[in-house]
Amino acid sequence: MADLLRKPSGTCGKVHDITAQSANWGYVGFGLYHLKAGESAAEPTGDREVILVLVEGKAEIAVGDQNFGELGKRMSVFERIPPACVYAPNDANWTAKATTDCVLAVCTAPGKGNYPARVISDIEMVERGKGANTRYIHPIAMEEKDIADSLLVTEVFTPSGNWSSYPPHRHDEDNYPDMTYLEETYYHRLNPKQGFGFQRVFTEDGELDETMAVSDGDVVLVPKGHHPCGSPYGYEMYYLNVMAGPMRKWRFQNHPDHDWIFQRDSK
């Protein structure tokens, strides 16, 4: 079985520490801190750019000598209000001091020093899909925002009983403009938290085909292939996506067996 499902290492401190090396790929890194009020986290960015996402709670965040003050509004991710996010370039240092209990995601990819540290604003919710394929998107740093060298970051809310990242699609070939190669991580949350969801990661030739039950706090790696998610009735699913590859553009292709769903719903 491929090592695609990563469980948190605990309930406090840095509970996820996924690097490009530990994921056995070339671009995406993902870390996650659970901090109590008064606790701090700090890291050098090195040769990587970083987008910090306050998934829940409030914190004072600084990059180098730029102090952005206390950020964060939502105390539960399922409030569905936009997150507070900060971009930090490579060759910098970021710090975060929790002013309430908080959950802080650290999204990383190779940086080239083309963009300054900043608070990412103007994040608005977008509805996507139809029927039981409806979900709600916060495009934190997708390609229409010229704010990063490599990172593409978004969060998705999938209602109870719905599907998401669906119809199945892939972005695992460096073949622009038809497709771009993008590695991807999914950080999952469930509401209520004792719930579960499903994610399948599979290639059309069957070389990779893994279906995973995901719990609150799990991370799924998507090195290639299609990667739909399902949320059972009674449980709302959230996930934070981090994508990166040789080009900061998101171009994908739907699975040929299931593209008819997209074609029907787009009419």
Side-chain angles (χ1 to χ4, degrees):
M1 181 174 180
D3 185 22
L4 303 183
L5 179 63
R6 304 294 175 92
K7 297 284 184 178
S9 61
T11 58
C12 58
K14 195 170 190 180
V15 301
H16 282 292
D17 189 11
I18 298 165
T19 65
Q21 292 73 28
S22 69
N24 194 31
W25 57 25
Y27 295 91
V28 170
F30 181 79
L32 191 82
Y33 285 91
H34 284 192
L35 301 176
K36 297 292 187 182
E39 293 181 338
S40 297
E43 293 182 3
T45 60
D47 61 356
R48 301 178 71 76
E49 62 181 3
V50 171
I51 290 178
L52 302 172
V53 179
L54 266 171
V55 178
E56 292 175 326
K58 302 179 181 183
E60 296 176 353
I61 296 179
V63 178
D65 59 2
Q66 291 181 263
N67 190 331
F68 297 109
E70 184 184 57
L71 301 173
K73 292 182 179 179
R74 68 185 188 196
M75 303 307 292
S76 165
V77 67
F78 290 101
E79 293 173 19
R80 294 197 189 181
I81 62 177
C85 304
V86 172
Y87 175 83
N90 52 289
D91 298 322
N93 293 276
W94 64 262
T95 60
K97 182 177 181 180
T99 54
T100 69
D101 292 358
C102 73
V103 177
L104 178 69
V106 184
C107 315
T108 79
K112 301 176 184 177
N114 291 321
Y115 298 89
R118 57 168 290 185
V119 173
I120 301 173
S121 57
D122 302 323
I123 301 170
E124 297 183 357
M125 181 165 279
V126 178
E127 181 177 331
R128 189 175 297 164
K130 291 184 178 181
N133 195 37
T134 302
R135 61 271 198 205
Y136 302 93
I137 318 294
H138 280 148
I140 295 168
M142 296 303 285
E143 65 181 273
E144 63 270 12
K145 290 186 177 179
D146 187 20
I147 60 173
D149 291 314
S150 301
L151 279 167
L152 295 165
V153 179
T154 192
E155 58 181 14
V156 179
F157 299 86
T158 306
S160 160
N162 282 20
W163 286 86
S164 198
S165 293
Y166 187 84
H169 66 274
R170 66 184 177 96
H171 38 73
D172 53 12
E173 294 181 28
D174 188 10
N175 185 30
Y176 182 77
D178 296 325
M179 193 186 305
T180 48
Y181 173 83
L182 294 168
E183 302 157 356
E184 187 168 18
T185 55
Y186 277 66
Y187 163 61
H188 286 278
R189 296 287 300 274
L190 281 303
N191 183 38
K193 68 184 300 182
Q194 73 268 24
F196 62 94
F198 293 102
Q199 185 158 24
R200 184 185 182 195
V201 180
F202 66 105
T203 55
E204 291 167 30
D205 62 6
E207 187 268 333
L208 174 64
D209 194 346
E210 301 289 347
T211 301
M212 293 153 280
V214 295
S215 300
D216 187 70
D218 288 353
V219 174
V220 172
L221 309 185
V222 182
K224 60 181 177 179
H226 304 272
H227 39 278
C229 302
S231 182
Y233 175 74
Y235 293 101
E236 181 182 9
M237 174 185 282
Y238 160 94
Y239 52 81
L240 176 66
N241 287 138
V242 184
M243 295 184 285
M247 180 180 293
R248 190 176 178 264
K249 293 185 181 297
W250 182 48
R251 300 291 185 274
F252 60 88
Q253 289 184 1
N254 291 327
H255 193 293
D257 290 347
H258 311 299
D259 185 57
W260 68 268
I261 299 169
F262 172 78
Q263 299 299 330
R264 179 198 64 188
D265 289 354
S266 61
K267 291 180 180 178

